Amino acid sequence: MRRTNWAILAFAALGTSWIVGSASPAVADSYDYPWCIQGKQEGYPGYCGYQTYQQCQASASGRDAYCGINPRVAFSQQRITPRAIR
């Protein structure tokens, strides 16, 4: 009886450590959206999760907020795509 309890406990610990070990941390979105909602509640640069100015304006509507360009997009280096070799 005692051996069975220890075996069950060992398998439970092994299963738990496997589940915890296989969990990966959340990955941040690698894409910087160009529009940020800014205001007193959001701060600066605010929440930058809008692809279009219209999306940002719709979210800012009815709140004490406005839309501004994402500083990470505005001041980042432009990515130049390599030309295809002919």
Side-chain angles (χ1 to χ4, degrees), residues 4 15 24 27 35 40 44 46 55 58 65 67-68 74 78 83 86:
T4 308
S24 61
V27 178
W35 295 101
K40 284 185 178 180
Y44 183 81
Q55 288 175 340
C67 295
Q78 293 181 351
R83 292 185 157 203
R86 294 183 187 200

Side-chain angles (χ1 to χ4, degrees), residues 35-39 42-43 45-48 50 56 59-60 63 65-68:
W35 295 101
C36 303
I37 186 167
Q38 300 167 349
E42 290 80 16
Y47 173 68
C48 302
Y50 302 101
C56 184
S59 181
R63 300 196 289 179
Y66 58 95
C67 295

Side-chain angles (χ1 to χ4, degrees), residues 2-82:
R2 232 177 186 187
R3 245 185 187 171
T4 308
N5 288 342
W6 281 109
I8 291 171
L9 182 64
F11 280 116
L14 183 64
T16 302
S17 65
W18 178 74
I19 290 171
V20 170
S22 66
S24 61
V27 178
D29 194 9
S30 62
Y31 182 77
D32 288 325
Y33 291 101
W35 295 101
C36 303
I37 186 167
Q38 300 167 349
K40 284 185 178 180
Q41 293 177 339
E42 290 80 16
Y44 183 81
Y47 173 68
C48 302
Y50 302 101
Q51 292 180 346
T52 65
Y53 184 72
Q54 289 79 18
Q55 288 175 340
C56 184
Q57 283 292 320
S59 181
S61 177
R63 300 196 289 179
D64 186 21
Y66 58 95
C67 295
I69 191 147
N70 184 347
R72 291 186 64 173
V73 172
F75 299 111
S76 67
Q77 290 183 344
Q78 293 181 351
R79 294 185 184 128
I80 300 172
T81 56

